[in-house]
Amino acid sequence: MPLDASFSNLGFTFGAYQQQRYTIDNNGYATTDGRVLYRINVAQEDVNSFRDFGYTHRTLVAPGVTWKLNDATTLTWLGEYHKDHRR
């Protein structure tokens, strides 16, 4: 969920069987008055397998938007796209 802050985090993981995983977490203000917040998480992973012809390719995109209507009410939309291709 979007937070009342502004930040970005980047990540990279690597491992056995040519594993590569990249991540991004970006949070901020969509308007100058701070009433609309956004957050987006993105991850991409590719890895081979110890088995012949095995692999995994995964993608995740998860955006979110929060609108502060007043001090007691907020409206939040969260979405997610996930693709998982493996053998």
Side-chain angles (χ1 to χ4, degrees), residues 12-13 17 24 27 29 31 33 40 55 58-59 66 68 73 75 78 80 83:
F12 175 73
T13 303
Y17 303 103
I24 298 171
N27 190 90
Y29 301 98
T31 58
D33 63 1
I40 185 161
Y55 61 87
R58 296 191 299 179
T59 303
T66 295
K68 296 179 184 179
T73 307
L75 178 64
L78 300 172
E80 182 177 308
K83 180 179 178 183

Side-chain angles (χ1 to χ4, degrees), residues 12 16 28 35 43 46 49 54 57 62 72-73:
F12 175 73
R35 295 176 58 93
D46 298 301
S49 174
H57 302 295
T73 307

Side-chain angles (χ1 to χ4, degrees), residues 6 26 44 52 65 69 75 79 82-83 87:
S6 184
N26 190 332
Q44 174 65 42
D52 289 340
V65 177
L69 299 171
L75 178 64
H82 185 217
K83 180 179 178 183
R87 179 175 311 179

Side-chain angles (χ1 to χ4, degrees), residues 14 19 31 34-35 42 44 74 76 85:
F14 63 94
Q19 178 191 22
T31 58
R35 295 176 58 93
V42 178
Q44 174 65 42
T74 61
T76 299
H85 187 173

Side-chain angles (χ1 to χ4, degrees), residues 18-50:
Q18 299 173 334
Q19 178 191 22
Q20 295 182 25
R21 179 178 169 87
Y22 304 92
T23 59
I24 298 171
D25 181 6
N26 190 332
N27 190 90
Y29 301 98
T31 58
T32 56
D33 63 1
R35 295 176 58 93
V36 180
L37 311 169
Y38 72 89
R39 187 169 190 176
I40 185 161
N41 285 282
V42 178
Q44 174 65 42
E45 182 177 29
D46 298 301
V47 63
N48 289 324
S49 174
F50 65 92

